[in-house]
Amino acid sequence: MRYLWNSVFVTVMATLITLVVNSMAAFALSKYEFRGRSLAMLLILATLMVPLSVVMVPLYSIISTLGLFNSLWGRHPADGGDADRRLHPAPVHAHHPDELIDAARMDKASEWQIYWRIILPLTRRRLPCSRSSRSSGAGTTSSGR
């Protein structure tokens, strides 16, 4: 029974961390114009060329330094870092009308409130679909690939 709990915990946490972190990054990259946006996109795309074996030693060092080694929580720092996961929700956010965001700003909503109260409810049905294909391998490698 403990093995089942570990598998469920790892899969659920990997899914939640990935959905929240990568959805926010995809929203910022698809809806906001800021200096360095192209560079950020280029860096995220460049990480697709880095093999997992290159990242394993630094990731081990980080997890060990944080004191998360030999625990289920030590598995999760890698969950939000995959570039393909970060960019996967971007087309979902690109279809939201800019007028909704402008109207929220006129109502004095912060950027955080715009994301949590407008964007996330609009994507609650489509966003899990962007993650469902990834959760089948969440417990197999250190980054969920």
Side-chain angles (χ1 to χ4, degrees):
M1 192 54 138
R2 182 69 180 166
Y3 299 118
L4 177 64
W5 164 250
N6 289 348
S7 296
V8 168
F9 177 77
V10 166
T11 302
V12 167
M13 291 307 297
T15 302
L16 289 177
I17 289 170
T18 301
L19 282 177
V20 171
V21 172
N22 295 344
S23 173
M24 286 191 282
F27 172 65
L29 289 171
S30 66
K31 284 297 183 182
Y32 294 121
E33 293 290 331
F34 55 91
R35 191 168 37 128
R37 177 181 169 198
S38 298
L39 180 63
M41 287 287 288
L42 184 66
L43 288 174
I44 289 171
L45 289 173
T47 62
L48 287 171
M49 294 183 281
V50 178
L52 180 62
S53 58
V54 173
V55 181
M56 291 293 265
V57 173
L59 189 60
Y60 173 82
S61 176
I62 291 169
I63 290 171
S64 193
T65 303
L66 291 174
L68 298 174
F69 188 71
N70 204 18
S71 74
L72 290 177
W73 287 103
R75 195 226 167 278
H76 296 297
D79 289 334
D82 288 341
D84 56 338
R85 291 183 188 173
R86 187 150 319 213
L87 294 176
H88 197 21
V92 172
H93 296 305
H95 296 292
H96 297 148
D98 292 334
E99 290 80 13
L100 285 175
I101 297 170
D102 294 339
R105 285 192 187 118
M106 289 176 63
D107 290 337
K108 306 280 190 234
S110 67
E111 301 302 315
W112 187 252
Q113 289 173 327
I114 291 171
Y115 176 76
W116 281 103
R117 293 186 179 180
I118 296 170
I119 301 302
L120 207 55
L122 286 174
T123 59
R124 73 174 180 251
R125 298 197 196 293
R126 289 183 281 169
L127 204 54
C129 295
S130 71
R131 174 65 178 138
S132 64
S133 64
R134 304 283 178 179
S135 59
S136 62
T140 58
T141 65
S142 68
S143 72
R145 289 184 193 183

